[in-house]
């Protein structure tokens, strides 16, 4: 990767973040682009593409889903038998490592989006694959963690703590899995040029979702794992 | 409290609504028929309240309920006035501006000053409601001034009521356990501490105080105080399954002398039936059939060992009513049926404050027993009160019943049991 | 492909140069897109928001009748003491399913029907933002509703009351599968609402016609928009609650088992955080409807439009902070009770703003009392009664006497039936000619209205008395012992309420008869005029029923009451106003058609929404009966999603604006 490519990428990434931040499309990379096929410019009242807006709304809704699950966990996190509570079970270094893996995947996702915006589909696909891989690694870590807990005696129904812990992290895991499926499907569709509409936008869409799942993990990691650590 | 007063207590909402409906209906159509109908229903509504519904919320009989009712008056009056004003203005507009061929009106989009004014006005009115509301909430939450503790425990579908050992309530040295009917001293502030053994139930004696949910795993408190002796009816008001409708309760307030007699009676030693009597046969039937669930304090088995019932092994909630002093209460099975016959019922229920204590303390005499319904109960309890006792479908509860099962008793056994129960005073 | 080519003789007035029609994609996924424009297929696979709206409405109407018949059984049971028509068990199922059906399968989808049909028309769009998702919402709702009701035949319906308090909803207390059906059914219909909400919000934000700023948007669209926002945030909360319930009942978790140390109040909080916004979800669409109807029949704009808009939004916000008013007796501390009590009162302010503005809209108007108008006025009156009793609940100490009695039942039927339902009926009469091209009979309509008003007051009015005099709700029977003496005792009023139900039922029957009379095969009802009410908003600037593409050309908007201002001109001078008609409605529409867009590209129908929707109940049966079915449902869903994604790109957002090159105005103006 040449230096200029990196600066380009970073600049692009910053732009995208800014773009999302103020909800106004300053640089609509794809609108009017010819490669979107038959479709002309997007005439939307807000200037933000429909799909992107929809994704934002969906993620807004998801916030409350995780909000509810996190509240449930917070209510029940101390309701467990003596020796099967967070302080006995958590392996903070391990979970930090998997969390770091997931965060890294956010970075590669940014790179993928920026590549797609440059119409550099080859690199986009590579970054998407890395992202999926890292996501898979995280998931593997979670499954490993779950099996360890399970062997130590913490089943889904062992205590209120265990049920709400597995429910919350399980939901997150399912979200990561869906993200990975989306990534893989996207890579496949990009390869076969089956993406309906604009490639870059499709990548961005999956990117939004992926970042959201990461951010949620940061919150979960904080309120579930780090809190016990701080105590 | 006289009838007239209580009527005017109950009417404000309904009266008001009648007026409201009248005006609007009239404005849209002045049809005579409609007018007569409305006037008719208006009159009906005015006179339209039962004067002596036992659970009337507008006839407070104690300090807490009165506090609430005083607040009701404020709120309902304000709501009434707001309603009348809104509907009058509306009716006037509907009448005045009906299409009489006038030109198309000015296409005005509003007058911001008016709008703001009309937004602030309701806000002010509501502040006027909010202030006494908050005050009353705080007053009602006060429990430091109570002088007597009574525990209530809800389960499907009856209330257990017990009096722990305490200096309060004029002194209780031995715990008292009863069901369905709570006896208190009039003029005493009672602290009710409640919980539940299965699902959420709600304790409600309208003439004494508002409701409080009784939640398993938590203890909630309500304060009760009755001005005068009397019987105050209540009902479980949180939906609690099949027989929620048949989960009632009563509070009986007495003067202090009568209350003392009642307390003493509740802890009297067990008196076994006379040997050879029907009741004595009933005792053994009871031991074989009933005592696995129902406790009768002091009842002993053939080895002279006290019999301790084990409802937890038979009933999901882990409890069945204590029958030691069964006939001192006058309703049974979640206070849903009378133990007193139709003839004897008014003697207690309609007694005056000065006589009610004595009438209640008489308990259920041989001649006053409502035998029919008690027998129905013993013959087949789930047929009388929907419960969850079908042995075929108890998988979900590991074979435990909810409520009292069908016991396939013979009529002879029922005779014996009735005789035996009649002596439980 | 449903590309609608204009007849060639259409004059090319705009001189924009015709774009070549989009070339059909060769990329078909597994299946070609269906193209039927007639027959059942044209309905089953449609992505047209109007057809979807109509189907939403028809199914919701079916559930209304079902829920109403359940209500009739309830009332029959309670007509006299110790009713025996229903067993305790059946009764408990009946009111649970009555409420669930009415709330989730009637009012919400009926409001969705209106929103679907009219939002695009009112904002001048050709369709919603995601037509296939729209079809998905519909079918998910339909299959969810059917799934929920199959419980009647599979061991009995849910029996825990519509708020399904824990722990009474746990297996030991409700061992049949009823509650499972309930939870999963609501989960499914929740998906329908959520997808619909996202779709409609995007539509409103992004697809307004040029010139239509947010503050020029018709008020119904505004209120429907607020509702979609509420749904967006309320649905996930109940989703969490329902998942916990499912894990509890089907997978052995103990979220609500007190033995395991759980707190049953968790359910109550989750349910009501959803539940209170939900009641505004029920009523705001109707507020929107009558805010359209009142101005039309007063010949005046809505008084204080911005106030009505902002109060709607304010209700949306404040509605999130009052949920615990359903829990005043549940043992919260006095401080929380006081806070929620006051917060609840606060919500009467924005609602009051609406009542006041409606009244002031009438004030000084030129009022004609059509059936639609009568229903709208009926709403103001009946809802206010319900709202005022709501304020008496807000006073927490008073509420501890009222809660769980018939006084509450009276409150919410006055606000729901008197608010939401009367508003929907107002909408039926007002928009019927728009949707079906024929006017419903006004004389039958008057019967319909007056019988419904009489019926509802007879049914729910006495419940105030019964409730305040101490009759609790949810009792499968009541006893004379607690009914008081005298002729006008609680028994009398229970009987009146039952009779009222039948008056109400007959009133509603008149509506069904009205539809029949208007549409039966040899009906004499002539086609409705294009502008029967002298209406004011955008949806009337097109033929009735609208063509598949809604507008001949995308309308250019310059005023809030666009249609009115195109028809009338103010020739008055200074402060004096005088309105003369410069064009009839027909002429306005004709003018638009004469200047039609040269070609309009609409999305083609699709099989996948229905297939995908079908996967959900399969999975739900799986949760109850057999894990294999979950797998099968998952497989169907995955297949459907790939089919969906690989379909040709027709459903792209850009399809719904006429693809016009060199037209910069639409984008810029609508950004205002
Ligand atoms: C369409 C649905 C709808 C609507 C709009 C409302 C509106 C309101 N509701 Fe209601 N409510 C329900 C549906 C609805 N409700 C349902 C379904 C339940 C029961 C659920 C169950 O238990 O099964 C319920 C229960 C319920 C309770 C709980 C009762 C209990 O169970 O103990 C409370 C308590 O505060 C309450 C309050 C209010 C208030 C204050 C309003 C306010 O928004 C009303 C505001 C309107 C007005 C006040 C009238 C117009 C205003 C003016 C004319 C201005 C001037 C007014 C004043 C100055 C007072 N409602
Ligand atoms: C959208 C909401 C909605 C609507 C529209 C209704 C409409 C009606 N409701 Fe319902 N109701 C609720 C929501 C609603 N309800 C809720 C949330 C509860 C609480 C449940 C709980 O506690 O869990 C409840 C509870 C409830 C109860 C209390 C039950 C109890 O606590 O034990 C009663 C009792 O009378 C009742 C009655 C009615 C009646 C008579 C109608 C009528 O308006 C229905 C009218 C409709 C028809 C009758 C059908 C159409 C007509 C025909 C097909 C013509 C032919 C029919 C006849 C001639 C009869 N409802
Ligand atoms: Cu106990 Cu209802
Ligand atoms: Cu509410």
């Amino acid at each position: 990767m040449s230096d200029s490519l990196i600066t380009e990428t970073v600049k692009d990434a910053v732009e995208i973040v800014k773009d999302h931040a103020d909800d106004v499309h300053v640089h609509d990379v794809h609108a009017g682009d010819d490669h979107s096929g038959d479709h002309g410019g997007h005439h939307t009242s807000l200037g933000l593409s429909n799909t992107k807006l929809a994704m934002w709304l969906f993620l807004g809704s998801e916030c409350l889903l995780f909000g509810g699950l996190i509240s449930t966990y917070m209510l029940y996190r101390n309701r467990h038998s003596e020796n099967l509570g967070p302080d006995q079970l958590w392996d903070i270094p391990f979970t930090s490592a998997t969390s770091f893996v997931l965060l890294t995947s956010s970075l590669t996702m940014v790179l993928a989006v920026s590549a797609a915006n440059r119409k550099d589909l080859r690199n986009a696909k590579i970054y998407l694959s890395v992202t999926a891989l890292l996501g898979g690694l995280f998931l593997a870590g979670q499954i490993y963690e779950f099996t360890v807990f399970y062997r130590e005696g913490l089943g889904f129904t062992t205590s209120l703590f265990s049920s709400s812990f597995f429910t919350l992290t399980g939901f997150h895991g399912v979200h990561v899995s869906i993200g990975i499926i989306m990534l893989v499907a996207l890579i496949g569709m990009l390869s076969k040029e089956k993406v309906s509409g604009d490639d870059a936008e499709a990548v961005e869409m999956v990117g939004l979702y992926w970042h959201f799942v990461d951010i949620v993990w940061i919150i979960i990691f904080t309120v579930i794992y780090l809190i016990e650590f701080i105590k | 409290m006289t009838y007239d007063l209580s009527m005017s207590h109950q009417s404000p909402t309904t009266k008001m609504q009648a007026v409201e409906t009248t005006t609007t209906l009239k404005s849209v159509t002045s049809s005579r028929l409609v007018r007569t109908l409305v006037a008719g229903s208006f009159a009906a509504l005015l006179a339209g309240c039962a004067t002596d519904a036992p659970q009337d919320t507008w006839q407070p009989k104690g300090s807490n309920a009165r506090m609430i009712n005083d607040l009701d008056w404020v709120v309902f009056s304000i709501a009434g006035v707001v309603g009348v004003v809104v509907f009058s203005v509306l009716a006037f507009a509907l009448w005045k501006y009906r299409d009489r061929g006038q030109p198309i009106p000015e296409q005005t989009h509003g007058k911001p000053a008016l709008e703001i004014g009309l937004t602030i006005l309701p806000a002010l009115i509501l502040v006027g409601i909010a202030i006494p509301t908050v005050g009353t909430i705080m007053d009602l939450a006060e429990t430091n001034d109570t002088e007597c503790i009574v525990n209530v425990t809800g389960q499907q579908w009856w209330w257990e009521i017990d009096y722990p050992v305490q200096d309060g309530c004029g002194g209780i040295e031995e715990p008292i356990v009863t069901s369905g009917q709570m006896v208190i001293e009039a003029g005493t502030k009672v602290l009710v501490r409640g919980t539940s053994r299965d699902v959420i139930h709600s304790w409600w004696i309208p003439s004494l105080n508002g409701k409080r949910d009784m939640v398993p795993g938590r203890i909630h408190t309500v304060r009760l105080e009755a001005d005068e002796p009397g019987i105050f009816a209540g009902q479980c008001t949180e939906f609690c399954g099949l027989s929620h409708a048949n989960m009632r309760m009563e509070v009986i307030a007495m003067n202090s002398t009568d209350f003392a007699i009642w307390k003493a009676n509740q802890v009297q030693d067990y008196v076994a039936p006379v040997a050879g009597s029907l009741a004595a046969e009933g005792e053994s039937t009871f031991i074989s059939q009933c005592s696995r669930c129902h406790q009768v304090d002091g009842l002993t088995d053939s080895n002279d060992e006290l019999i301790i019932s084990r409802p937890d092994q038979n009933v999901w909630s882990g409890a069945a009513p204590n029958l030691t002093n069964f006939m001192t209460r006058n309703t049974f099975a979640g206070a849903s049926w009378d133990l007193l016959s139709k003839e004897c019922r008014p003697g207690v229920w309609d007694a005056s404050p000065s006589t009610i204590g004595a009438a209640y303390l008489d308990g259920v005499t041989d001649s006053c027993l409502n035998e029919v319904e008690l027998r129905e109960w013993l013959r087949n309890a789930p047929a009388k009160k929907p419960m969850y006792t079908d042995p075929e479908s108890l998988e979900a509860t590991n074979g435990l019943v909810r409520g009292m099962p069908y016991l396939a008793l013979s009529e002879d056994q029922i005779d014996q049991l009735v005789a035996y129960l009649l002596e439980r005073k | 492909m449903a590309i609608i080519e204009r007849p060639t003789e259409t004059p090319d007035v705009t001189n924009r140069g015709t774009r070549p029609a989009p070339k059909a994609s060769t990329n078909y996924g597994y299946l070609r897109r269906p193209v039927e424009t007639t027959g059942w297929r044209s309905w089953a696979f449609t992505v047209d928001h109007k057809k979807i709206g109509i189907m939403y409405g028809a199914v919701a109407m079916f559930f209304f009748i079902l829920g109403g018949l359940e209500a009739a059984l309830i009332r029959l049971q309670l007509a006299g003491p110790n009713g025996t028509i229903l067993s305790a068990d059946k009764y408990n199922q009946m009111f649970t399913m009555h409420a669930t059906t009415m709330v989730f399968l009637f009012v919400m989808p009926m409001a969705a029907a209106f929103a679907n049909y009219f939002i695009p028309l009112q904002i001048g769009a050709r369709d919603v933002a995601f037509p296939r998702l729209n079809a998905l919402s519909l079918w998910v709702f339909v299959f969810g509703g059917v799934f929920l009701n199959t419980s009647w035949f599979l061991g009995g319906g849910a029996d825990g009351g519509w708020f399904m308090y824990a722990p009474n909803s746990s297996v030991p207390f409700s061992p049949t599968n009823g509650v499972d059906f309930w939870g999963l059914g609501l989960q499914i219909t929740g998906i329908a609402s959520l997808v619909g909400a996202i779709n409609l919000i995007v539509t409103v934000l992004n697809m307004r016609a040029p010139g239509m700023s947010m503050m020029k948007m018709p008020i119904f669209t505004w209120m429907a928009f607020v509702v979609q926002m509420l749904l967006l945030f309320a649905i996930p909360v109940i989703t969490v609650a329902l998942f916990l319930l499912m894990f509890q009942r089907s997978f052995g978790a103990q979220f609500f088992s007190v033995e395991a140390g759980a707190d049953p109040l968790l359910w109550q909080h989750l349910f009501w955080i959803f539940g209170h916004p939900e009641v505004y979800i029920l009523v705001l669409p109707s507020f929107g409807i009558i805010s359209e109807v009142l101005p039309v029949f007063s010949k005046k704009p809505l008084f204080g439009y911005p106030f009505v808009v902002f109060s709607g939004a304010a209700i949306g916000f404040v509605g999130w902070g009052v949920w615990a008013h359903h829990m005043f007796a549940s043992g919260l501390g006095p401080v929380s009770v006081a806070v929620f009590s006051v917060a609840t009162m606060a919500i009467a302010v924005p609602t009051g703003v609406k009542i006041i503005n409606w009244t002031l809209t009438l004030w000084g108007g030129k009022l004609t009392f059509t059936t639609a108008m009568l229903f709208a006025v009926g709403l103001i009156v009946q809802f206010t009664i319900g709202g005022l009793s709501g304020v008496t609940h807000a006073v927490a100490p008073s509420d501890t006497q009222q809660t769980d009695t018939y006084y509450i039942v009276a409150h919410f039927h006055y606000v729901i039936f008197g608010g939401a339902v009367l508003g929907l009926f107002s909408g039926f009469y007002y928009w019927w000619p728009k949707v079906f091209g024929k006017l419903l009979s006004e004389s039958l309509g008057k019967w319909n209205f007056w019988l419904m008003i009489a019926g509802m007051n007879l049914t729910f009015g006495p419940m105030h008395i019964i409730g305040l005099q101490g009759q609790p709700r949810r009792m499968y029977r009541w006893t004379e012992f607690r009914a008081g003496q005298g002729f006008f005792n609680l028994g009398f009023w229970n009987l009146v309420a039952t009779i009222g139900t039948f008056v109400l039922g007959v009133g509603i029957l008149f509506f069904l008869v009205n539809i029949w009379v208007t549409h039966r095969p040899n009906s004499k009802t002539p086609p409705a005029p294009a502008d029967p009410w002298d209406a004011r908003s955008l949806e009337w600037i097109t033929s009735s029923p609208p063509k598949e593409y809604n507008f001949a050309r995308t309308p250019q908007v310059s005023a809030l009451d666009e249609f009115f201002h195109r028809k009338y001109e103010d020739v008055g001078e200074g402060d004096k106003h005088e309105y003369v008609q410069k064009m009839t409605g027909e002429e306005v529409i004709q003018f638009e058609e004469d200047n039609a867009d040269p070609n309009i590209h609409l999305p083609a129908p699709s099989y996948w929404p229905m297939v995908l929707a079908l996967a959900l109940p399969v999975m739900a049966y799986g949760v109850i009966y057999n894990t294999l079915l979950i797998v099968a449902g998952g497989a169907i869903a995955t297949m459907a999603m790939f089919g969906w994604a690989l379909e040709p790109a027709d459903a792209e957002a850009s399809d719904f604006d006429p693809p016009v090159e060199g037209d910069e105005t639409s984008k810029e103006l609508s950004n205002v």
Side-chain angles (χ1 to χ4, degrees), chain A residues 19-48:
Chain A
D19 182 27
H20 293 170
D22 50 28
D23 247 20
V24 185
H25 235 243
V26 250
H27 76 138
D28 201 339
V29 204
H30 21 276
D33 273 4
D34 238 344
H35 77 148
S36 60
D38 321 321
H39 311 293
H42 299 239
H43 296 283
T44 66
S45 311
L46 288 184
L48 191 67

Side-chain angles (χ1 to χ4, degrees), chain C residues 64-65 67-69 71-72 74-75 78 91 95-96 98-99 102-103 106-107 161-163 282 406 409 412-413 416-417 421 459-460 463 473-475 501-502 504-506 508-509 512:
Chain C
F64 178 45
I65 291 167
L69 293 176
I74 291 175
R75 281 310 331 159
L78 298 178
Y91 183 88
F95 70 72
T96 305
H98 158 67
M102 285 297 197
V103 170
F106 164 51
V107 177
W162 85 287
F163 41 77
L282 297 177
Y406 268 83
V409 180
F412 67 71
H413 283 97
I416 293 185
F417 201 92
V421 178
T459 308
F460 305 122
M463 291 183 188
R473 61 195 279 202
R474 299 175 159 187
M475 297 210 305
T501 305
F502 283 81
L504 183 53
V506 171
I508 295 166
L509 215 51
L512 303 179

Side-chain angles (χ1 to χ4, degrees), chain C residues 276 279 325-326:
Chain C
H276 188 80
V279 306
H325 67 210
H326 297 275

